Amino acid sequence: MLLRNIGVLVGVDGGDTPFLRGREMSRIGTVENAWLRIRDGRFSAFGTMDECPAADADEEVADAEGGYVFPSYCDSHTHIVYAGSREREFIDKINGLSYEEIAKRGGGILNSADLLHETSENELYTQAMTRVREIMAMGTGCVEIKSGYGLTTADELKMLRVIARIAESTPMKVKATFLGAHAVGRAFAGRQGEYVDVVCNEMIPAVAAEGLAEFVDVFCDAGFFTVEETDRILTTGTQYGLRPKIHANELAVSGGVQVGVKHNALSVDHLERIGEEEIAILSEHQTVATMLPGASFFLGMPYGPARKAIESGAIVALASDYNPGSSPSGNMRMVMSIGCIKMKLTPAEALNATTINGAYSMNESRDYGSIAPGKVANFYITRPMPSVDFYPYAYATPVITKTYLKGKEVTF
Ligand code: NIG
Ligand code: FE
């Protein structure tokens, strides 16, 4: 396909940048008045309209009519396979209960686990696919999905099989993470150590045997799993070929960043509560600092210090955390805008944080995260806009007109 009359082609690079760190994050490649060519589902070339090539005989020609073209979002942290929804807790929160108080009363994650247990694999797939279509329509082209609402070996495998089925049936790129240590399963109440044994001795080997996940995650935080337990789970996961990506420092300064970096985690996520020490560590390593502004917004928590982390030289990504408890939205444009408004990222930094750095934190920046010859042609077209900055600024104005995944238009 030859796409002509693009107002601004945004997020172009040479394809040789795995991630951007620190001040490099303010760099965003743009081409004004551009054309873009796609061959065999991948970007093949781009340039300016004054030198637009003639279309080949068999080539489809499309007109962007002055709209902008962006690389699809790479949402590196979601929990979109879940059963039902939890708006009852939404009301609890309005009435003053905290996320931890709800969890202590047996709500929260355990609530979703009960519901998931009662839901068939088919029904779970159907419910999750509604969210998959929703995020594709909002510009996401590569997504990580976690297990963690099973909390028994059978139910964790059920969730991961649903993720595998989504991966097979959608043009979006899907990456699977095993998060058995998301909470202690009900049957193990008061016996957390034994639950960790099951995670290490039963769940991880079963997940690896079926090849159902690429990453291993732990909710390493106050009231959930300790640093020692996290250390043990990540050691076991690594032995079985799973790369760590963890939840850390959401509820307390948990030591999660340190244990994640020690295990060469691809990313440490949340980070609402990190100090100078954690920022310094992240600035010296290739572990991505992934922040989730949608969770801070929804739970009324502090925002992660993304600005400081960038100033210090860390690789910062922003993701949606789409889940029923702390962030019931996968709107990455909103994530970008909150990143700008509340975390003081510039639009260019927020765009890089939700594209190339998100791709890197899923180990996918070779194929996704920017518009470069050879990368998979995942992109969307907007209506004409006055500038790139307008996009996060007019944060709720719908602008996307068409979405393409693997070079093909996605219709809903
Ligand atoms: O990333 N923090 C831990 N897990 C999810 C929330 C899960 C839930 O409440 O259902 C998160 O915020
Ligand atoms: Fe999460």
Side-chain angles (χ1 to χ4, degrees), residues 191-262:
R191 296 184 290 134
Q192 178 149 336
E194 286 171 53
Y195 183 72
V196 173
D197 290 342
V198 172
V199 169
C200 291
N201 302 336
E202 213 178 287
M203 294 188 191
I204 291 176
V207 169
E210 282 193 47
L212 285 172
E214 197 172 326
F215 308 124
V216 59
D217 196 339
V218 176
F219 189 6
C220 177
D221 226 318
F224 290 85
F225 294 88
T226 66
V227 167
E228 292 68 33
E229 290 163 341
T230 304
D231 192 51
R232 197 177 145 211
I233 295 165
L234 298 187
T235 301
T236 309
T238 304
Q239 279 164 0
Y240 280 88
L242 306 176
R243 181 98 187 256
K245 258 178 88 64
I246 71 169
H247 282 72
N249 299 64
E250 173 185 1
L251 308 170
V253 181
S254 64
V257 168
Q258 287 81 347
V259 70
V261 168
K262 173 183 163 196

Side-chain angles (χ1 to χ4, degrees), residues 326-356:
S326 67
S327 183
S329 164
N331 187 336
M332 288 293 279
R333 191 268 191 96
M334 183 79 181
V335 165
M336 239 180 94
S337 293
I338 307 178
C340 295
I341 297 161
K342 293 290 187 183
M343 297 171 148
K344 305 295 175 205
L345 265 56
T346 65
E349 288 169 338
L351 194 62
N352 282 319
T354 50
T355 56
I356 190 72

Side-chain angles (χ1 to χ4, degrees), residues 77 79 86 99 109 149 182 219 247 250 270 321 323-326:
H77 181 139
H79 310 246
R86 305 218 309 259
Y99 183 78
I109 295 168
Y149 292 119
H182 195 194
F219 189 6
H247 282 72
E250 173 185 1
H270 269 292
D321 198 17
N323 77 75
S326 67

Side-chain angles (χ1 to χ4, degrees), residues 17-19 74-77 142-144 173-177 213-216 241-245 264-267 269 286-288 290 315 317 355-369 375-376:
T17 309
F19 56 79
C74 296
D75 190 352
S76 62
H77 181 139
C142 180
V143 67
E144 182 254 21
K173 178 72 180 174
V174 174
K175 307 284 282 185
T177 299
E214 197 172 326
F215 308 124
V216 59
L242 306 176
R243 181 98 187 256
K245 258 178 88 64
N264 192 25
L266 209 35
S267 68
D269 303 24
Q286 287 201 8
T287 294
V288 178
T290 299
I315 309 168
T355 56
I356 190 72
N357 284 358
Y360 178 70
S361 69
M362 294 184 273
N363 203 14
E364 282 296 339
S365 54
R366 254 170 291 100
D367 280 322
Y368 301 90
K375 284 199 181 186
V376 177

Side-chain angles (χ1 to χ4, degrees), residues 157-174:
L157 292 174
K158 173 164 103 177
M159 278 191 84
L160 289 165
R161 288 190 197 111
V162 169
I163 299 172
R165 195 166 150 202
I166 294 170
E168 281 161 26
S169 60
T170 166
M172 191 166 52
K173 178 72 180 174
V174 174

